[in-house]
Amino acid sequence: MLYVVGLGLADEKDITLRGLEAIKSCSRVYLEAYTSILLVPKQQLEAFYGKEVIVADRDMVETESDAILEGAKDVDVAFLVVGDPFGATTHTDLLLRARALGIPSKVIHNASIMNAIGACGLQLYNFGQAVSLVFFTDNWKPDSFYDRVKENADLGMHTLVLLDIKVKEQSEENLARGRKIYEPPRYMSISLAVEQLLYTESQRQQNVLSATETLAIGMSRVGSSEQRIVAGTLAELNEAGDIFGPPLHSLVIVGKRLHPLEAEYAEEWAISKSEWRRIAQQVYGCQLDE
Amino acid sequence: MLYVVGLGLADEKDITLRGLEAIKSCSRVYLEAYTSILLVPKQQLEAFYGKEVIVADRDMVETESDAILEGAKDVDVAFLVVGDPFGATTHTDLLLRARALGIPSKVIHNASIMNAIGACGLQLYNFGQAVSLVFFTDNWKPDSFYDRVKENADLGMHTLVLLDIKVKEQSEENLARGRKIYEPPRYMSISLAVEQLLYTESQRQQNVLSATETLAIGMSRVGSSEQRIVAGTLAELNEAGDIFGPPLHSLVIVGKRLHPLEAEYAEEWAISKSEWRRIAQQVYGCQLDE
């Protein structure tokens, strides 16, 4: 049996009892560690499970999936995924491969940023499609996310922006030369995300985003005891910078259908409550009590 | 401290270790039981926690929230929510009330249908806004969901349709007479949901839904060992009826941006694989391998 187990968001205690039981039954335990990260080191998981945990990087999952699945018809193998197995990044490839090999599989769900983002006070059913924002480079600034944000904005929906992480990436030079030397991990900050959003707006100029009149909510380390939620204009969040602390960061762009109850709940996190209210009322047309 | 704890989707073992620890520390434990249900009885939770669990119906949460919160500055109180506390239905009212009373609160996340729906093979970032479908009556057939589905369909996005549940509801007569007599619980089936969708299409006629050319995926008891996933046209799902078994049921309307990998993964669940592929290719324009 292949168990694909969601670990939740923060640390080893976010696993479900069902997930922990599955791991205990397994002969081998892999941890997917290139699309998201837990906020604790692998050793902490190993101590908690009482088992070795094999870190599976992108290479291994994409090119050696048969090694991961080896013998899984007879023994149990666990593939651990931060968040939910069908969260922001899905692992249907591995499940399809197991299916092709006749290996039974079971998915054990958990919280992911896709639903835990609701902690900011915006209703999940008011979110449109989620978008991913990758690190811009000097000559690669992909902006197709802008069209998605515009689609959501035109409908008044909120947008969850998933911020890039780079784990075990090679520099262009090392990649070209086939050297398996890896860069230090990088996690996009809310400040950088806002800069990239506003840069893209300056290029595309379709009035989707405004530094001073678009409301947004930044969240860091969602689900952990060090969770931070901060609300404000894009410019305010950019300036706030260090307030969010270490990774992971997530960002929500607030849509115009903002409901008064959502605005009221999120006001608690506002950098400037008066500015938050003013924009919610004057720009978003939200009817708030005085 | 007020702990708002997500229980996940199926049974007592879907709670996280963090959530179980919180419950163990609590003096009183409430279970929100009117917006969703676990697939096991309350007694099973009580045996598992070693604590009494007080069922909180809508009345209690909406009118007696101060009783739930009583003393929570000094003792720990748990409010358990099926799925995630910020899932399809949110409990921001209770958290706002706690905030107003100066009671600290902590949210413990879990899987909800909003992210676990990814198990059907459609990518979460290709979903637009989720909609709710309520039981139609002879003279009340609210159809605002149709506009939301159309917005998603126009963008090619998938739509998660949340199906109504009626727990501890009064008949109109009993309500009018103030008699606290409650109807048996009712859970909308996928068949009924499809009938209501097609009825609404017949009234609104904006070509959003077609019995024979709109693809959909029905899921029942997501996250449990009795989970069923069935894919097909709306007509096929309607006819399949009993295949889904007991509640809870959920439904996804497939959007036109359907990706070949999504179609391939979901084909596994298709009532008729050849029909699924034909429509994916001819109606949805999906490029599938022959």
Side-chain angles (χ1 to χ4, degrees), chain B residues 123-156:
Chain B
Q123 306 279 352
L124 288 183
Y125 56 75
N126 287 337
F127 280 72
Q129 57 199 312
V131 303
S132 295
L133 188 61
V134 300
F135 282 110
F136 285 179
T137 65
D138 286 346
N139 40 31
W140 194 62
K141 299 182 175 63
D143 64 358
S144 62
F145 73 86
Y146 185 84
D147 302 306
R148 305 284 92 77
V149 176
K150 183 176 190 311
E151 288 172 343
N152 287 343
D154 287 347
L155 294 175

PDB file of all heavy atoms in Angstrom, chain B residues 123-156:
ATOM      1  N   GLN B 123      -7.209  19.997 -10.285  1.00  0.00           N
ATOM      2  CA  GLN B 123      -6.263  20.811  -9.532  1.00  0.00           C
ATOM      3  C   GLN B 123      -6.984  21.931  -8.796  1.00  0.00           C
ATOM      4  O   GLN B 123      -7.774  22.662  -9.393  1.00  0.00           O
ATOM      5  CB  GLN B 123      -5.233  21.424 -10.481  1.00  0.00           C
ATOM      6  CG  GLN B 123      -4.526  20.412 -11.359  1.00  0.00           C
ATOM      7  CD  GLN B 123      -3.392  19.704 -10.649  1.00  0.00           C
ATOM      8  OE1 GLN B 123      -3.031  20.066  -9.531  1.00  0.00           O
ATOM      9  NE2 GLN B 123      -2.845  18.687 -11.280  1.00  0.00           N
ATOM     10  N   LEU B 124      -6.663  22.102  -7.530  1.00  0.00           N
ATOM     11  CA  LEU B 124      -7.369  23.115  -6.732  1.00  0.00           C
ATOM     12  C   LEU B 124      -7.243  24.511  -7.319  1.00  0.00           C
ATOM     13  O   LEU B 124      -8.157  25.320  -7.225  1.00  0.00           O
ATOM     14  CB  LEU B 124      -6.847  23.110  -5.296  1.00  0.00           C
ATOM     15  CG  LEU B 124      -7.248  21.910  -4.444  1.00  0.00           C
ATOM     16  CD1 LEU B 124      -6.717  22.081  -3.028  1.00  0.00           C
ATOM     17  CD2 LEU B 124      -8.758  21.727  -4.415  1.00  0.00           C
ATOM     18  N   TYR B 125      -6.101  24.818  -7.944  1.00  0.00           N
ATOM     19  CA  TYR B 125      -5.941  26.179  -8.466  1.00  0.00           C
ATOM     20  C   TYR B 125      -6.744  26.403  -9.743  1.00  0.00           C
ATOM     21  O   TYR B 125      -6.782  27.516 -10.261  1.00  0.00           O
ATOM     22  CB  TYR B 125      -4.463  26.546  -8.658  1.00  0.00           C
ATOM     23  CG  TYR B 125      -3.688  25.596  -9.536  1.00  0.00           C
ATOM     24  CD1 TYR B 125      -3.845  25.589 -10.920  1.00  0.00           C
ATOM     25  CD2 TYR B 125      -2.799  24.680  -8.977  1.00  0.00           C
ATOM     26  CE1 TYR B 125      -3.143  24.703 -11.722  1.00  0.00           C
ATOM     27  CE2 TYR B 125      -2.103  23.789  -9.764  1.00  0.00           C
ATOM     28  CZ  TYR B 125      -2.270  23.810 -11.137  1.00  0.00           C
ATOM     29  OH  TYR B 125      -1.589  22.933 -11.927  1.00  0.00           O
ATOM     30  N   ASN B 126      -7.393  25.346 -10.239  1.00  0.00           N
ATOM     31  CA  ASN B 126      -8.311  25.532 -11.370  1.00  0.00           C
ATOM     32  C   ASN B 126      -9.764  25.659 -10.930  1.00  0.00           C
ATOM     33  O   ASN B 126     -10.660  25.626 -11.766  1.00  0.00           O
ATOM     34  CB  ASN B 126      -8.176  24.360 -12.350  1.00  0.00           C
ATOM     35  CG  ASN B 126      -6.880  24.433 -13.136  1.00  0.00           C
ATOM     36  OD1 ASN B 126      -6.300  25.517 -13.280  1.00  0.00           O
ATOM     37  ND2 ASN B 126      -6.418  23.306 -13.630  1.00  0.00           N
ATOM     38  N   PHE B 127      -9.985  25.756  -9.635  1.00  0.00           N
ATOM     39  CA  PHE B 127     -11.345  25.970  -9.132  1.00  0.00           C
ATOM     40  C   PHE B 127     -11.598  27.465  -8.976  1.00  0.00           C
ATOM     41  O   PHE B 127     -10.759  28.203  -8.475  1.00  0.00           O
ATOM     42  CB  PHE B 127     -11.540  25.308  -7.761  1.00  0.00           C
ATOM     43  CG  PHE B 127     -11.787  23.816  -7.827  1.00  0.00           C
ATOM     44  CD1 PHE B 127     -10.763  22.942  -8.149  1.00  0.00           C
ATOM     45  CD2 PHE B 127     -13.048  23.291  -7.580  1.00  0.00           C
ATOM     46  CE1 PHE B 127     -10.983  21.565  -8.214  1.00  0.00           C
ATOM     47  CE2 PHE B 127     -13.278  21.920  -7.639  1.00  0.00           C
ATOM     48  CZ  PHE B 127     -12.247  21.051  -7.960  1.00  0.00           C
ATOM     49  N   GLY B 128     -12.780  27.885  -9.392  1.00  0.00           N
ATOM     50  CA  GLY B 128     -13.234  29.230  -9.062  1.00  0.00           C
ATOM     51  C   GLY B 128     -13.928  29.191  -7.713  1.00  0.00           C
ATOM     52  O   GLY B 128     -13.694  28.293  -6.904  1.00  0.00           O
ATOM     53  N   GLN B 129     -14.797  30.159  -7.487  1.00  0.00           N
ATOM     54  CA  GLN B 129     -15.525  30.232  -6.230  1.00  0.00           C
ATOM     55  C   GLN B 129     -16.393  28.986  -6.008  1.00  0.00           C
ATOM     56  O   GLN B 129     -16.897  28.389  -6.952  1.00  0.00           O
ATOM     57  CB  GLN B 129     -16.405  31.481  -6.244  1.00  0.00           C
ATOM     58  CG  GLN B 129     -17.367  31.487  -7.422  1.00  0.00           C
ATOM     59  CD  GLN B 129     -17.912  32.861  -7.748  1.00  0.00           C
ATOM     60  OE1 GLN B 129     -18.363  33.566  -6.854  1.00  0.00           O
ATOM     61  NE2 GLN B 129     -17.881  33.239  -9.015  1.00  0.00           N
ATOM     62  N   ALA B 130     -16.525  28.592  -4.751  1.00  0.00           N
ATOM     63  CA  ALA B 130     -17.413  27.480  -4.395  1.00  0.00           C
ATOM     64  C   ALA B 130     -18.833  28.020  -4.232  1.00  0.00           C
ATOM     65  O   ALA B 130     -19.032  29.198  -3.920  1.00  0.00           O
ATOM     66  CB  ALA B 130     -16.940  26.849  -3.094  1.00  0.00           C
ATOM     67  N   VAL B 131     -19.818  27.165  -4.501  1.00  0.00           N
ATOM     68  CA  VAL B 131     -21.217  27.581  -4.322  1.00  0.00           C
ATOM     69  C   VAL B 131     -21.935  26.588  -3.414  1.00  0.00           C
ATOM     70  O   VAL B 131     -21.519  25.440  -3.270  1.00  0.00           O
ATOM     71  CB  VAL B 131     -21.976  27.680  -5.669  1.00  0.00           C
ATOM     72  CG1 VAL B 131     -21.269  28.642  -6.611  1.00  0.00           C
ATOM     73  CG2 VAL B 131     -22.148  26.314  -6.312  1.00  0.00           C
ATOM     74  N   SER B 132     -23.014  27.064  -2.814  1.00  0.00           N
ATOM     75  CA  SER B 132     -23.850  26.211  -1.974  1.00  0.00           C
ATOM     76  C   SER B 132     -25.183  26.000  -2.659  1.00  0.00           C
ATOM     77  O   SER B 132     -25.733  26.927  -3.258  1.00  0.00           O
ATOM     78  CB  SER B 132     -24.091  26.870  -0.611  1.00  0.00           C
ATOM     79  OG  SER B 132     -22.874  26.978   0.087  1.00  0.00           O
ATOM     80  N   LEU B 133     -25.688  24.797  -2.558  1.00  0.00           N
ATOM     81  CA  LEU B 133     -26.975  24.465  -3.163  1.00  0.00           C
ATOM     82  C   LEU B 133     -27.907  24.019  -2.041  1.00  0.00           C
ATOM     83  O   LEU B 133     -27.600  23.056  -1.335  1.00  0.00           O
ATOM     84  CB  LEU B 133     -26.772  23.331  -4.181  1.00  0.00           C
ATOM     85  CG  LEU B 133     -27.947  22.943  -5.072  1.00  0.00           C
ATOM     86  CD1 LEU B 133     -28.391  24.121  -5.933  1.00  0.00           C
ATOM     87  CD2 LEU B 133     -27.571  21.761  -5.959  1.00  0.00           C
ATOM     88  N   VAL B 134     -29.008  24.736  -1.865  1.00  0.00           N
ATOM     89  CA  VAL B 134     -29.935  24.384  -0.780  1.00  0.00           C
ATOM     90  C   VAL B 134     -31.094  23.554  -1.323  1.00  0.00           C
ATOM     91  O   VAL B 134     -31.381  23.579  -2.522  1.00  0.00           O
ATOM     92  CB  VAL B 134     -30.484  25.648  -0.065  1.00  0.00           C
ATOM     93  CG1 VAL B 134     -29.345  26.463   0.529  1.00  0.00           C
ATOM     94  CG2 VAL B 134     -31.312  26.497  -1.018  1.00  0.00           C
ATOM     95  N   PHE B 135     -31.748  22.840  -0.445  1.00  0.00           N
ATOM     96  CA  PHE B 135     -32.935  22.073  -0.827  1.00  0.00           C
ATOM     97  C   PHE B 135     -33.995  23.016  -1.385  1.00  0.00           C
ATOM     98  O   PHE B 135     -34.400  23.975  -0.721  1.00  0.00           O
ATOM     99  CB  PHE B 135     -33.537  21.366   0.401  1.00  0.00           C
ATOM    100  CG  PHE B 135     -32.813  20.120   0.820  1.00  0.00           C
ATOM    101  CD1 PHE B 135     -32.075  20.088   1.997  1.00  0.00           C
ATOM    102  CD2 PHE B 135     -32.890  18.965   0.049  1.00  0.00           C
ATOM    103  CE1 PHE B 135     -31.413  18.930   2.396  1.00  0.00           C
ATOM    104  CE2 PHE B 135     -32.234  17.797   0.443  1.00  0.00           C
ATOM    105  CZ  PHE B 135     -31.486  17.784   1.616  1.00  0.00           C
ATOM    106  N   PHE B 136     -34.438  22.744  -2.604  1.00  0.00           N
ATOM    107  CA  PHE B 136     -35.564  23.512  -3.151  1.00  0.00           C
ATOM    108  C   PHE B 136     -36.848  23.057  -2.454  1.00  0.00           C
ATOM    109  O   PHE B 136     -36.974  21.892  -2.057  1.00  0.00           O
ATOM    110  CB  PHE B 136     -35.716  23.248  -4.658  1.00  0.00           C
ATOM    111  CG  PHE B 136     -34.683  23.940  -5.511  1.00  0.00           C
ATOM    112  CD1 PHE B 136     -34.699  23.764  -6.895  1.00  0.00           C
ATOM    113  CD2 PHE B 136     -33.715  24.771  -4.967  1.00  0.00           C
ATOM    114  CE1 PHE B 136     -33.762  24.393  -7.706  1.00  0.00           C
ATOM    115  CE2 PHE B 136     -32.780  25.405  -5.771  1.00  0.00           C
ATOM    116  CZ  PHE B 136     -32.801  25.210  -7.148  1.00  0.00           C
ATOM    117  N   THR B 137     -37.799  23.978  -2.331  1.00  0.00           N
ATOM    118  CA  THR B 137     -39.137  23.595  -1.873  1.00  0.00           C
ATOM    119  C   THR B 137     -40.105  23.996  -2.984  1.00  0.00           C
ATOM    120  O   THR B 137     -39.691  24.556  -4.012  1.00  0.00           O
ATOM    121  CB  THR B 137     -39.524  24.322  -0.573  1.00  0.00           C
ATOM    122  OG1 THR B 137     -39.625  25.732  -0.842  1.00  0.00           O
ATOM    123  CG2 THR B 137     -38.494  24.078   0.524  1.00  0.00           C
ATOM    124  N   ASP B 138     -41.393  23.716  -2.765  1.00  0.00           N
ATOM    125  CA  ASP B 138     -42.366  24.021  -3.810  1.00  0.00           C
ATOM    126  C   ASP B 138     -42.316  25.498  -4.202  1.00  0.00           C
ATOM    127  O   ASP B 138     -42.453  25.840  -5.372  1.00  0.00           O
ATOM    128  CB  ASP B 138     -43.788  23.673  -3.323  1.00  0.00           C
ATOM    129  CG  ASP B 138     -43.990  22.165  -3.299  1.00  0.00           C
ATOM    130  OD1 ASP B 138     -43.153  21.462  -3.898  1.00  0.00           O
ATOM    131  OD2 ASP B 138     -44.955  21.698  -2.666  1.00  0.00           O
ATOM    132  N   ASN B 139     -42.113  26.353  -3.216  1.00  0.00           N
ATOM    133  CA  ASN B 139     -42.163  27.776  -3.560  1.00  0.00           C
ATOM    134  C   ASN B 139     -40.878  28.535  -3.209  1.00  0.00           C
ATOM    135  O   ASN B 139     -40.897  29.760  -3.080  1.00  0.00           O
ATOM    136  CB  ASN B 139     -43.386  28.432  -2.893  1.00  0.00           C
ATOM    137  CG  ASN B 139     -43.577  27.906  -1.487  1.00  0.00           C
ATOM    138  OD1 ASN B 139     -42.592  27.560  -0.825  1.00  0.00           O
ATOM    139  ND2 ASN B 139     -44.819  27.836  -1.029  1.00  0.00           N
ATOM    140  N   TRP B 140     -39.794  27.821  -3.052  1.00  0.00           N
ATOM    141  CA  TRP B 140     -38.516  28.505  -2.782  1.00  0.00           C
ATOM    142  C   TRP B 140     -37.394  27.757  -3.483  1.00  0.00           C
ATOM    143  O   TRP B 140     -36.971  26.696  -3.062  1.00  0.00           O
ATOM    144  CB  TRP B 140     -38.263  28.575  -1.264  1.00  0.00           C
ATOM    145  CG  TRP B 140     -37.163  29.528  -0.889  1.00  0.00           C
ATOM    146  CD1 TRP B 140     -37.121  30.880  -1.104  1.00  0.00           C
ATOM    147  CD2 TRP B 140     -35.937  29.191  -0.227  1.00  0.00           C
ATOM    148  NE1 TRP B 140     -35.948  31.402  -0.625  1.00  0.00           N
ATOM    149  CE2 TRP B 140     -35.201  30.399  -0.074  1.00  0.00           C
ATOM    150  CE3 TRP B 140     -35.382  28.004   0.256  1.00  0.00           C
ATOM    151  CZ2 TRP B 140     -33.959  30.455   0.536  1.00  0.00           C
ATOM    152  CZ3 TRP B 140     -34.132  28.053   0.867  1.00  0.00           C
ATOM    153  CH2 TRP B 140     -33.439  29.268   1.012  1.00  0.00           C
ATOM    154  N   LYS B 141     -36.981  28.324  -4.593  1.00  0.00           N
ATOM    155  CA  LYS B 141     -35.921  27.703  -5.405  1.00  0.00           C
ATOM    156  C   LYS B 141     -34.849  28.741  -5.702  1.00  0.00           C
ATOM    157  O   LYS B 141     -34.726  29.207  -6.835  1.00  0.00           O
ATOM    158  CB  LYS B 141     -36.516  27.144  -6.701  1.00  0.00           C
ATOM    159  CG  LYS B 141     -37.574  26.055  -6.490  1.00  0.00           C
ATOM    160  CD  LYS B 141     -38.099  25.512  -7.814  1.00  0.00           C
ATOM    161  CE  LYS B 141     -39.067  24.354  -7.604  1.00  0.00           C
ATOM    162  NZ  LYS B 141     -40.299  24.722  -6.868  1.00  0.00           N
ATOM    163  N   PRO B 142     -34.077  29.112  -4.678  1.00  0.00           N
ATOM    164  CA  PRO B 142     -33.096  30.186  -4.865  1.00  0.00           C
ATOM    165  C   PRO B 142     -32.047  29.784  -5.899  1.00  0.00           C
ATOM    166  O   PRO B 142     -31.495  28.680  -5.834  1.00  0.00           O
ATOM    167  CB  PRO B 142     -32.477  30.350  -3.483  1.00  0.00           C
ATOM    168  CG  PRO B 142     -32.716  29.055  -2.795  1.00  0.00           C
ATOM    169  CD  PRO B 142     -33.994  28.502  -3.347  1.00  0.00           C
ATOM    170  N   ASP B 143     -31.778  30.672  -6.841  1.00  0.00           N
ATOM    171  CA  ASP B 143     -30.900  30.285  -7.957  1.00  0.00           C
ATOM    172  C   ASP B 143     -29.703  31.210  -8.139  1.00  0.00           C
ATOM    173  O   ASP B 143     -29.095  31.232  -9.204  1.00  0.00           O
ATOM    174  CB  ASP B 143     -31.711  30.178  -9.250  1.00  0.00           C
ATOM    175  CG  ASP B 143     -32.288  31.529  -9.664  1.00  0.00           C
ATOM    176  OD1 ASP B 143     -32.076  32.511  -8.934  1.00  0.00           O
ATOM    177  OD2 ASP B 143     -32.942  31.587 -10.722  1.00  0.00           O
ATOM    178  N   SER B 144     -29.349  31.950  -7.095  1.00  0.00           N
ATOM    179  CA  SER B 144     -28.213  32.859  -7.261  1.00  0.00           C
ATOM    180  C   SER B 144     -26.917  32.061  -7.495  1.00  0.00           C
ATOM    181  O   SER B 144     -25.979  32.579  -8.091  1.00  0.00           O
ATOM    182  CB  SER B 144     -28.067  33.782  -6.054  1.00  0.00           C
ATOM    183  OG  SER B 144     -27.814  33.020  -4.896  1.00  0.00           O
ATOM    184  N   PHE B 145     -26.879  30.809  -7.041  1.00  0.00           N
ATOM    185  CA  PHE B 145     -25.703  29.974  -7.291  1.00  0.00           C
ATOM    186  C   PHE B 145     -25.419  29.860  -8.793  1.00  0.00           C
ATOM    187  O   PHE B 145     -24.277  29.722  -9.217  1.00  0.00           O
ATOM    188  CB  PHE B 145     -25.885  28.568  -6.697  1.00  0.00           C
ATOM    189  CG  PHE B 145     -26.849  27.713  -7.465  1.00  0.00           C
ATOM    190  CD1 PHE B 145     -26.404  26.967  -8.548  1.00  0.00           C
ATOM    191  CD2 PHE B 145     -28.196  27.683  -7.140  1.00  0.00           C
ATOM    192  CE1 PHE B 145     -27.292  26.191  -9.284  1.00  0.00           C
ATOM    193  CE2 PHE B 145     -29.087  26.919  -7.871  1.00  0.00           C
ATOM    194  CZ  PHE B 145     -28.628  26.179  -8.950  1.00  0.00           C
ATOM    195  N   TYR B 146     -26.499  29.941  -9.584  1.00  0.00           N
ATOM    196  CA  TYR B 146     -26.368  29.771 -11.031  1.00  0.00           C
ATOM    197  C   TYR B 146     -25.469  30.863 -11.628  1.00  0.00           C
ATOM    198  O   TYR B 146     -24.647  30.595 -12.516  1.00  0.00           O
ATOM    199  CB  TYR B 146     -27.756  29.801 -11.663  1.00  0.00           C
ATOM    200  CG  TYR B 146     -27.798  29.527 -13.155  1.00  0.00           C
ATOM    201  CD1 TYR B 146     -27.829  28.229 -13.653  1.00  0.00           C
ATOM    202  CD2 TYR B 146     -27.820  30.585 -14.074  1.00  0.00           C
ATOM    203  CE1 TYR B 146     -27.876  27.983 -15.025  1.00  0.00           C
ATOM    204  CE2 TYR B 146     -27.870  30.352 -15.439  1.00  0.00           C
ATOM    205  CZ  TYR B 146     -27.892  29.049 -15.911  1.00  0.00           C
ATOM    206  OH  TYR B 146     -27.941  28.811 -17.264  1.00  0.00           O
ATOM    207  N   ASP B 147     -25.607  32.072 -11.114  1.00  0.00           N
ATOM    208  CA  ASP B 147     -24.757  33.179 -11.593  1.00  0.00           C
ATOM    209  C   ASP B 147     -23.291  32.926 -11.253  1.00  0.00           C
ATOM    210  O   ASP B 147     -22.394  33.248 -12.032  1.00  0.00           O
ATOM    211  CB  ASP B 147     -25.221  34.506 -10.984  1.00  0.00           C
ATOM    212  CG  ASP B 147     -26.669  34.795 -11.319  1.00  0.00           C
ATOM    213  OD1 ASP B 147     -27.006  34.790 -12.523  1.00  0.00           O
ATOM    214  OD2 ASP B 147     -27.474  35.005 -10.399  1.00  0.00           O
ATOM    215  N   ARG B 148     -23.064  32.353 -10.064  1.00  0.00           N
ATOM    216  CA  ARG B 148     -21.689  32.065  -9.657  1.00  0.00           C
ATOM    217  C   ARG B 148     -21.092  30.958 -10.541  1.00  0.00           C
ATOM    218  O   ARG B 148     -19.949  31.035 -10.946  1.00  0.00           O
ATOM    219  CB  ARG B 148     -21.644  31.616  -8.192  1.00  0.00           C
ATOM    220  CG  ARG B 148     -22.285  32.579  -7.178  1.00  0.00           C
ATOM    221  CD  ARG B 148     -21.442  33.778  -6.877  1.00  0.00           C
ATOM    222  NE  ARG B 148     -21.766  34.916  -7.746  1.00  0.00           N
ATOM    223  CZ  ARG B 148     -22.829  35.707  -7.599  1.00  0.00           C
ATOM    224  NH1 ARG B 148     -23.683  35.510  -6.620  1.00  0.00           N
ATOM    225  NH2 ARG B 148     -23.040  36.713  -8.427  1.00  0.00           N
ATOM    226  N   VAL B 149     -21.905  29.915 -10.793  1.00  0.00           N
ATOM    227  CA  VAL B 149     -21.413  28.821 -11.640  1.00  0.00           C
ATOM    228  C   VAL B 149     -21.103  29.357 -13.033  1.00  0.00           C
ATOM    229  O   VAL B 149     -20.102  29.002 -13.657  1.00  0.00           O
ATOM    230  CB  VAL B 149     -22.444  27.672 -11.713  1.00  0.00           C
ATOM    231  CG1 VAL B 149     -21.956  26.587 -12.686  1.00  0.00           C
ATOM    232  CG2 VAL B 149     -22.681  27.064 -10.336  1.00  0.00           C
ATOM    233  N   LYS B 150     -21.959  30.261 -13.506  1.00  0.00           N
ATOM    234  CA  LYS B 150     -21.736  30.859 -14.831  1.00  0.00           C
ATOM    235  C   LYS B 150     -20.432  31.663 -14.851  1.00  0.00           C
ATOM    236  O   LYS B 150     -19.657  31.577 -15.808  1.00  0.00           O
ATOM    237  CB  LYS B 150     -22.917  31.754 -15.221  1.00  0.00           C
ATOM    238  CG  LYS B 150     -22.773  32.349 -16.628  1.00  0.00           C
ATOM    239  CD  LYS B 150     -23.991  33.150 -17.027  1.00  0.00           C
ATOM    240  CE  LYS B 150     -23.957  33.533 -18.514  1.00  0.00           C
ATOM    241  NZ  LYS B 150     -22.710  34.120 -18.970  1.00  0.00           N
ATOM    242  N   GLU B 151     -20.196  32.432 -13.789  1.00  0.00           N
ATOM    243  CA  GLU B 151     -18.939  33.194 -13.724  1.00  0.00           C
ATOM    244  C   GLU B 151     -17.739  32.258 -13.831  1.00  0.00           C
ATOM    245  O   GLU B 151     -16.790  32.513 -14.576  1.00  0.00           O
ATOM    246  CB  GLU B 151     -18.867  33.988 -12.408  1.00  0.00           C
ATOM    247  CG  GLU B 151     -19.827  35.176 -12.362  1.00  0.00           C
ATOM    248  CD  GLU B 151     -19.889  35.841 -10.992  1.00  0.00           C
ATOM    249  OE1 GLU B 151     -19.448  35.225  -9.989  1.00  0.00           O
ATOM    250  OE2 GLU B 151     -20.395  36.967 -10.920  1.00  0.00           O
ATOM    251  N   ASN B 152     -17.797  31.170 -13.085  1.00  0.00           N
ATOM    252  CA  ASN B 152     -16.698  30.196 -13.159  1.00  0.00           C
ATOM    253  C   ASN B 152     -16.614  29.578 -14.551  1.00  0.00           C
ATOM    254  O   ASN B 152     -15.527  29.456 -15.127  1.00  0.00           O
ATOM    255  CB  ASN B 152     -16.901  29.081 -12.118  1.00  0.00           C
ATOM    256  CG  ASN B 152     -16.637  29.552 -10.698  1.00  0.00           C
ATOM    257  OD1 ASN B 152     -16.015  30.589 -10.473  1.00  0.00           O
ATOM    258  ND2 ASN B 152     -17.117  28.793  -9.730  1.00  0.00           N
ATOM    259  N   ALA B 153     -17.768  29.171 -15.068  1.00  0.00           N
ATOM    260  CA  ALA B 153     -17.786  28.491 -16.373  1.00  0.00           C
ATOM    261  C   ALA B 153     -17.245  29.408 -17.464  1.00  0.00           C
ATOM    262  O   ALA B 153     -16.495  28.973 -18.346  1.00  0.00           O
ATOM    263  CB  ALA B 153     -19.202  28.033 -16.701  1.00  0.00           C
ATOM    264  N   ASP B 154     -17.614  30.691 -17.396  1.00  0.00           N
ATOM    265  CA  ASP B 154     -17.122  31.634 -18.408  1.00  0.00           C
ATOM    266  C   ASP B 154     -15.599  31.719 -18.408  1.00  0.00           C
ATOM    267  O   ASP B 154     -14.982  31.999 -19.436  1.00  0.00           O
ATOM    268  CB  ASP B 154     -17.727  33.036 -18.175  1.00  0.00           C
ATOM    269  CG  ASP B 154     -19.205  33.089 -18.555  1.00  0.00           C
ATOM    270  OD1 ASP B 154     -19.688  32.147 -19.213  1.00  0.00           O
ATOM    271  OD2 ASP B 154     -19.885  34.058 -18.174  1.00  0.00           O
ATOM    272  N   LEU B 155     -15.003  31.509 -17.227  1.00  0.00           N
ATOM    273  CA  LEU B 155     -13.535  31.524 -17.134  1.00  0.00           C
ATOM    274  C   LEU B 155     -12.934  30.137 -17.335  1.00  0.00           C
ATOM    275  O   LEU B 155     -11.712  29.972 -17.325  1.00  0.00           O
ATOM    276  CB  LEU B 155     -13.097  32.056 -15.763  1.00  0.00           C
ATOM    277  CG  LEU B 155     -13.421  33.517 -15.455  1.00  0.00           C
ATOM    278  CD1 LEU B 155     -13.025  33.847 -14.023  1.00  0.00           C
ATOM    279  CD2 LEU B 155     -12.689  34.439 -16.420  1.00  0.00           C
ATOM    280  N   GLY B 156     -13.803  29.128 -17.481  1.00  0.00           N
ATOM    281  CA  GLY B 156     -13.307  27.770 -17.651  1.00  0.00           C
ATOM    282  C   GLY B 156     -12.936  27.078 -16.350  1.00  0.00           C
ATOM    283  O   GLY B 156     -12.298  26.023 -16.352  1.00  0.00           O
TER     284      GLY B 156
END
